[in-house]
Amino acid sequence: NFDDPTSPTVATEFVGTSVTSDPSPYETFSRLLPENPHVRYFESRHRGYVAVDLTPDRMETRFQVISDRRDPKATVSTLKRFVVEGGKPGAVPLP
């Protein structure tokens, strides 16, 4: 039940930023987080993409960010990782 934050998690959606677009104002969206308790992780100040490793038993998701979207020689690093295990709804942060 989307309107009940205490209802059980049944699925997980990962949403990443764009690689080259200007970021949305972080402060504007972060102020809206209390009204969206279903959002478990939010970061819009970095540009990047989502990478996924998928097996029949698990999905590991990495939020990859680039050092400078205007630099063709920009580096890539992992900002945050999550895993979703088969049969266990919900994403779990990884170190």
Side-chain angles (χ1 to χ4, degrees), residues 66-95:
I66 56 175
S67 57
D68 183 346
R69 68 183 181 93
R70 292 181 181 93
D71 182 357
K73 295 179 182 174
T75 58
V76 177
S77 62
T78 301
L79 180 65
K80 187 83 171 170
R81 299 182 324 142
F82 293 91
V83 66
V84 177
E85 300 283 349
K88 299 177 185 174
V92 177
L94 292 172

